[in-house]
Amino acid sequence: MLRALAVDDERPSLEELLYLLNADPRIGSAEGAGDATQALRRINRALESGPDGPEAIDVVFLDIQMPGLDGLDLARLLTGFAQPPLVVFVTAHEDFAVQAFDLKAVDYVLKPVRKERLAEAVRRAAERRDTAPRIPVHEPDPDHIPVELGGVTRFVSVDDITHVEAQGDYARLHTDKGSHLVRIPLSTLEERWRSRGFVRIHRRHLVALRHVGELRLDAGTVSVLVGSEELQVSRRHARELRDLLMRRT
């Protein structure tokens, strides 16, 4: 059973495509997205979940001409992932077929979508999914975190991270040698690294207690010195932080 994501900025076309997909017995679930940016956020959750996870997506049925990030742009982004979902383009335009198949698309379906033609695309996607080699999925190393730098994956030791700064859906990991941006929410790292001595001191910051050099009190404000950086501590976290530092001492 395929898990599908349909992407189209025109609501009637999206609803029709979802109706046809849900009527196909080879489709286990079908979700919709109104633009490529929304679809990319959903696909990122699927990739983090893994190919057998509850958020997984097997195939994306993708319109091409959409405002902002278009379908071809999204497909190019997906080629950079180790295990991206399959792509079937569903479009009213014949002109992009060569580019679509250069991006390893499973199929290229023209609108208006016919039930029989879509069924053939689903068959091809199911066949490609079932015959594709599976890449082993390994448990993450709890002592290191992978970061991308210039197309190279490096593994940063968690013990070297002094503090973490929230930047939207991303987090910036700070070490004595520099910083690295990862697509992991700060709340996820807080939960994952709590047992390793990381503590929330502000809505934007986690700090590693082992790297806290000073706790400063000045006119009712609290801050900590981590390496050469002074970070503000919010009032709601100040008492807990002080107690933890005293216990460590």
Side-chain angles (χ1 to χ4, degrees):
M1 301 287 281
L2 291 171
R3 295 155 295 187
L5 175 67
V7 188
D8 199 314
D9 65 305
E10 297 180 355
R11 190 69 191 179
S13 297
L14 179 60
E15 290 177 351
E16 180 185 10
L17 182 55
L18 287 171
Y19 173 79
L20 293 173
L21 288 171
N22 282 311
D24 192 304
R26 291 162 297 194
I27 299 292
S29 63
E31 301 175 45
D35 58 52
T37 301
Q38 181 185 349
L40 185 58
R41 286 197 294 265
R42 177 63 185 88
I43 292 167
N44 271 319
R45 294 207 315 270
L47 295 172
E48 290 171 1
S49 176
D52 299 315
E55 299 269 17
I57 292 173
D58 299 305
V59 57
V60 180
F61 291 84
L62 183 58
D63 189 18
I64 290 182
Q65 290 199 326
M66 294 182 286
L69 193 70
D70 68 24
L72 292 171
D73 292 331
L74 177 57
R76 290 188 190 97
L77 287 173
L78 294 181
T79 61
F81 292 100
Q83 288 185 284
L86 303 170
V87 173
V88 172
F89 285 103
V90 182
T91 177
H93 305 277
E94 300 179 359
D95 306 339
F96 304 104
V98 172
Q99 296 176 61
F101 287 113
D102 282 345
L103 293 169
K104 311 301 182 186
V106 172
D107 208 342
Y108 194 90
V109 179
L110 290 174
K111 297 177 181 178
V113 179
R114 294 183 294 109
K115 179 180 179 180
E116 297 78 11
R117 181 65 185 87
L118 186 63
E120 173 62 16
V122 172
R123 184 195 67 78
R124 292 181 183 182
E127 184 177 81
R128 179 84 67 88
R129 194 275 308 267
D130 292 341
T131 57
R134 295 297 296 271
I135 300 174
V137 178
H138 301 287
E139 289 297 318
D141 179 355
D143 296 323
H144 295 83
I145 182 168
V147 299
E148 296 290 333
L149 184 62
V152 177
T153 301
R154 302 181 185 276
F155 295 89
V156 175
S157 172
V158 175
D159 289 340
D160 290 339
I161 297 169
T162 59
H163 61 287
V164 186
E165 179 183 3
Q167 294 189 348
D169 293 334
Y170 294 78
R172 183 168 292 281
L173 313 177
H174 292 267
T175 71
D176 290 337
K177 296 180 180 179
S179 66
H180 309 277
L181 197 63
V182 294
R183 191 180 175 85
I184 305 176
L186 191 69
S187 57
T188 300
L189 293 178
E190 179 184 13
E191 182 177 349
R192 185 183 299 177
W193 290 345
R194 183 178 291 115
S195 63
R196 301 183 69 99
F198 282 81
V199 179
R200 178 78 75 116
I201 64 166
H202 190 274
R203 62 183 178 83
R204 292 190 57 209
H205 288 108
L206 288 178
V207 297
L209 292 176
R210 71 177 76 82
H211 289 289
V212 174
E214 294 180 9
L215 177 68
R216 296 177 174 179
L217 305 175
D218 183 19
T221 63
V222 181
S223 62
V224 289
L225 190 66
V226 182
S228 60
E229 289 198 55
E230 185 175 359
L231 304 174
Q232 294 298 312
V233 180
S234 67
R235 289 187 179 184
R236 62 176 295 199
H237 295 104
R239 176 171 291 183
E240 179 188 8
L241 175 64
R242 186 170 57 185
D243 289 346
L244 287 169
L245 288 172
M246 292 299 293
R247 267 182 267 165
R248 285 178 64 86
T249 307

